[in-house]
Structure formats: C-alpha cells, structure tokens
Amino acid sequence: NISAHCWNNPSLHLCFPQAFNAGKEGKIPFEIKRFDLSMLQEYLDPNSQIAGIVTSKGDAAWFTNKAPVVNVELNSNAINFVQKLDYRRFPLSLTPVKIVANMADNQLKLKTDVKVENNGRLVSDVVISDLTNKRALSGTINLDHFNLRLVQPLLSSGENVDGDINARLKVGGTALAPLLHGNLNLTGLAAKSNMMPFDVVGGNLALNFTGASSTLRGNIQTPESNLALDGDANWQKLDAWYTRVGAKANRFRVDIPNIAKVDVSPDIEVKVTPKALILGGTVDIPWARIAVEELPESAVTVSGDEVIIKVSKQAHRAKIGHQTVKVTKNLPQTGSGMAINADIAINIGNDVKLDAYGLKTGLNGQVKVRQGSKGLGLYGQVYLNNGTFASFGQDLVIRKGLISFTGLPSQPTLDIEAIRNPEAIEDANVTAGVRVTE
C-alpha cells in the first residue's frame, strides 16, 4: 500500500497523485510534472543537442486474468533538437507536441499531433489490433504543408530549396505486411545548389498508394527544359520488394561550371530489388561545349611517396622508411550484398565540341556503360572530327582520330594520325618572305 507522493530531481518531477495498491493486481496513476530533456544530453552524440520541457500523465494497471492496461498522454510546448554536421547546424523545433497512447483489450491506439515551428504538421491516428498475434493495422497519417525550406540550414550561401509536401494516407494490413492507401504530393518544387548542374524552377511529384503498391508521376522543370519522371513500387512480399523509376527528357541542359555545358536527352530506367540495382536505357547528347582548363583534384595521380598494396584478408596502414604504405583489401560480394547491373548506351551527336589542353575537336560516336561482376566497363568508339592540336610550339591537324573502349575506361585504344597544319606552314613561310609553289 503506497500513499500519494512525489520524486524530485533537478530535471525530473515525478508524482503519484493517488494512493495505490500493488500486488498480483494493481493500478498506478502517475504524473510527470516536469521532465527537462537536457537530462538526456550525456547519452547523446556530442554533435547532437536536445532541449525542451515535457509533461505527461497516465496510469498503468495489471490483472491476473487479462492483459495490462496502459494510458499515457505526453505534451510539450517546445522540443528543440540541433544536429551539427561539419561546420553547419541543422535545427529542428517542434512546437507543440502531443502524443496519446492507450493499450487495452490486446489493442494499442496511438495518436500524434506534432507541429514543426514555421513549417508543417503531422497528425496520425493508428490502431494496432491483436497485439499478441496478428498485429493488424488501421488508421490515418496526414502531413500538412511540410516545406522543404526545413533543410535550408544545410545549404551554402546562395543556395535554396522550396516545395510543399502534403499527404493523406490510410494504413492497413499488418505490422509485417503493411498496406497504404492514399497519396503524397510534392508541389512548387524549386532548388538552386552548387552541387547540382542545373537549377530547378518548378516541378511536382505525386505518389499514389494502393495497398502494397504505389505509382510515381512527376516532372522537374529547369529554365531550358523539363525532365519527366514515372515509376512504381511493390512490397506485397517484404523479402521480395521492388521499385522502379524512369526518367525522360528532350535536350535537358546540364551546366557544370568552368567545365561543360551539355544538352542530354535521357531515356533511362532504374530498378531496385533486395538483391540487385539495375540501370538501363539510352542517353543522347546532341549538343555540348566542353572546355577543360585544369584537371580536378580527383584526377591527380598518387604522390610518389605512397605505395598501395592490395591484399585479400586485412586492411592496415604501416610506415616503411619515409614512405606511407596503405594496405587495403578487396571485399568480395557476399550473398546478402546488392549487385549492380548497368547497361546504358550513350550516343554522342554531331554538335559536340571539346577544347582541352590545346586540343580542339568535334566528337561523335556511341559508347555503352556496363557494370557487371568485374566492375565498370566502357565499350564503343568515339571519333575526333575536324580536330587540331597545339602544344610545344607545334600546330597539328588531326587527320584521323578514333578512341576505342573495350573494357576499362582508363585504358582506351587510340588510333590517331596528326600532321602539321599546312596553313600554319604557309603563314610562316609568307612571314619569312618565302613563296612556296606546288
């Protein structure tokens, strides 16, 4: 027999407002008048911070002839979470938060109402019936006006993202085989990022759920073009789920600063299953202007004081003299790994120009990108048209240029024939006062 009393802590004020009996059967009402979430800080990663005050009330009862009964209501006017990522901070403020849970008669009812500060709202009402066996699901999940500006703190100066997410979903099936009915829509999409080779000035995505399957329709609009998306997914068997996404566009402009401007017309498809990722389709490049002034850092060769040794079982690092030896291992694909299978044809049109390190030429041809068990492979031929090359005081005209790929992208076969530019020779002779006749 326990009388009413409270337990006090600088961060927690827990009370039992009524006297209660505890034995083979019993019922305990409780009330958390104040729980400071900063109490959890010592258990979190140093880059994660949480703050806020939570209150709660409810009761728990147990019996000798039936399942326990638990009722809990949790409220907070504000919960603040901050995650540090490198030099950036991602803050998330929930104001307010309300969660109500009731478990009785082998059934759990869970209601949530969470508002993100200056953003959207999540409201759900889910019931799990027959907790001990079937665990059948029912209820609704609604998202109202979630805006992508929520991730703005993760972006750099000058970058932005916008778009509203709304959802009306009904839950069914069981915990091991869930079903969804309804739709999720993203509208008013806009984005500008240094990591993206194009700006998004408009777009939308629509996901429609019909039980254990869904369909995707959408488009991404840029200042010059439009990319259409479609797809579908199925999770009727959780161990054999799949999803597919297709993308099509006509002369979709990609702008890689200080390197290239390219028009691409993709017609590609991506399929994913628990065991494989499959990419296929074609990419046409009717127009491109590529100007390379210097190699990116990723293309710089390994320094002379580093030796790389590949072994099969271990990976470690050691020092030999003044050299650093990195020992890495080849990881074989395990039976549970996801295989990658790619077969994409790239068609290079007749209006593709390259200007790099003294080489000026047109390009056209076709190559196929294939990813199999032996890694990435490149197959096909690229022709150099009307090309010239100027280097070390030489002015050359490319009379024949062919680059053939038969596997490794880094090891093409070159068949190039270049001669001194006749026009440059004639200009030099005229400058020197010499007339050349044939």
Side-chain angles (χ1 to χ4, degrees):
N1 301 316
I2 304 176
S3 63
H5 67 285
C6 293
W7 293 10
N8 291 314
N9 176 282
S11 299
L12 176 64
H13 188 187
L14 170 63
C15 289
F16 299 92
Q18 301 174 15
F20 60 89
N21 297 325
K24 291 183 178 181
E25 293 188 353
K27 182 178 181 180
I28 302 178
F30 64 88
E31 182 176 359
I32 299 177
K33 293 187 176 182
R34 184 179 183 275
F35 176 34
D36 189 343
L37 293 178
S38 62
M39 184 179 182
L40 305 175
Q41 188 62 50
E42 62 179 298
Y43 304 104
L44 300 179
D45 184 274
N47 292 319
S48 302
Q49 298 177 356
I50 191 169
I53 303 298
V54 173
T55 62
S56 179
K57 62 181 180 180
D59 57 71
W62 63 97
F63 311 90
T64 57
N65 59 349
K66 63 177 182 179
V69 174
V70 179
N71 299 290
V72 178
E73 180 179 329
L74 183 149
N75 292 277
S76 177
N77 291 327
I79 296 177
N80 300 307
F81 181 79
V82 177
Q83 179 67 42
K84 294 181 180 180
L85 301 170
D86 298 327
Y87 60 91
R88 294 163 296 183
R89 298 170 72 254
F90 176 65
L92 181 64
S93 298
L94 307 178
T95 58
V97 175
K98 183 176 183 178
I99 300 174
V100 178
N102 306 104
M103 186 178 71
D105 300 324
N106 201 24
Q107 184 182 79
L108 174 63
K109 297 180 180 179
L110 182 63
K111 296 182 179 181
T112 61
D113 189 349
V114 179
K115 176 72 169 62
V116 180
E117 187 177 27
N118 300 321
N119 210 292
R121 182 182 179 189
L122 167 65
V123 179
S124 69
D125 187 352
V126 177
V127 177
I128 305 177
S129 303
D130 193 6
L131 284 171
T132 56
N133 294 300
K134 190 177 179 180
R135 296 184 221 172
L137 299 175
S138 62
T140 60
I141 300 175
N142 297 326
L143 294 176
D144 291 319
H145 301 295
F146 265 87
N147 194 283
L148 296 181
R149 288 194 298 269
L150 184 69
V151 301
Q152 189 69 38
L154 300 178
L155 304 180
S156 301
S157 176
E159 298 181 328
N160 59 75
V161 63
D162 201 354
D164 280 330
I165 299 176
N166 293 276
R168 295 291 181 270
L169 301 172
K170 292 183 178 180
V171 183
T174 67
L176 295 179
L179 302 177
L180 286 177
H181 294 270
N183 57 76
L184 184 150
N185 297 301
L186 168 61
T187 58
L189 178 63
K192 181 179 181 181
S193 172
N194 298 328
M195 302 294 292
M196 295 170 50
F198 53 84
D199 294 338
V200 178
V201 297
N204 62 81
L205 294 172
L207 274 168
N208 293 312
F209 297 90
T210 54
S213 63
S214 65
T215 60
L216 167 69
R217 296 290 183 273
N219 71 88
I220 297 176
Q221 185 177 350
T222 69
E224 297 87 5
S225 54
N226 185 76
L227 178 68
L229 301 172
D230 74 279
D232 55 83
N234 187 291
W235 58 93
Q236 188 168 4
K237 296 181 179 179
L238 290 183
D239 58 348
W241 58 265
Y242 84 88
T243 183
R244 178 194 65 86
V245 177
K248 293 182 180 180
N250 182 28
R251 299 183 75 97
F252 191 83
R253 175 62 60 86
V254 176
D255 188 353
I256 305 174
N258 303 320
I259 295 180
K261 292 183 178 181
V262 183
D263 282 352
V264 295
S265 298
D267 185 358
I268 59 177
E269 188 175 76
V270 180
K271 294 181 180 179
V272 184
T273 69
K275 295 183 179 180
L277 187 151
I278 304 169
L279 298 92
T282 61
V283 178
D284 296 334
I285 306 177
W287 179 92
R289 295 296 182 267
I290 306 169
V292 182
E293 297 180 358
E294 60 181 8
L295 285 172
E297 292 183 2
S298 59
V300 177
T301 57
V302 177
S303 65
D305 65 346
E306 185 168 75
V307 179
I308 297 177
I309 304 173
K310 291 186 177 180
V311 297
S312 59
K313 295 183 178 180
Q314 297 183 359
H316 61 274
R317 180 186 293 265
K319 286 187 177 181
I320 301 177
H322 296 290
Q323 292 186 334
T324 299
V325 179
K326 293 170 68 177
V327 181
T328 62
K329 67 177 181 179
N330 291 328
L331 294 177
Q333 181 175 321
T334 63
S336 61
M338 179 180 291
I340 299 176
N341 188 354
D343 189 356
I344 299 176
I346 301 176
N347 302 311
I348 304 173
N350 296 321
D351 195 7
V352 176
K353 308 294 183 183
L354 171 67
D355 184 352
Y357 307 105
L359 173 65
K360 295 182 179 181
T361 184
L363 302 174
N364 76 300
Q366 183 188 70
V367 294
K368 288 191 174 183
V369 180
R370 294 175 183 168
Q371 173 80 34
S373 59
K374 295 183 179 180
L376 181 67
L378 203 60
Y379 305 86
Q381 296 178 326
V382 177
Y383 296 90
L384 280 61
N385 301 318
N386 302 318
T388 62
F389 181 70
S391 181
F392 301 107
Q394 298 293 321
D395 187 1
L396 306 177
V397 173
I398 298 176
R399 190 157 61 180
K400 176 183 178 182
L402 176 62
I403 304 175
S404 300
F405 295 91
T406 57
L408 289 176
S410 59
Q411 296 181 9
T413 300
L414 304 180
D415 185 4
I416 298 175
E417 181 181 339
I419 63 173
R420 296 183 66 184
N421 190 343
E423 294 182 0
I425 296 175
E426 182 176 348
D427 291 342
N429 290 335
V430 170
T431 302
V434 178
R435 172 177 291 182
V436 179
T437 61
E438 295 184 4

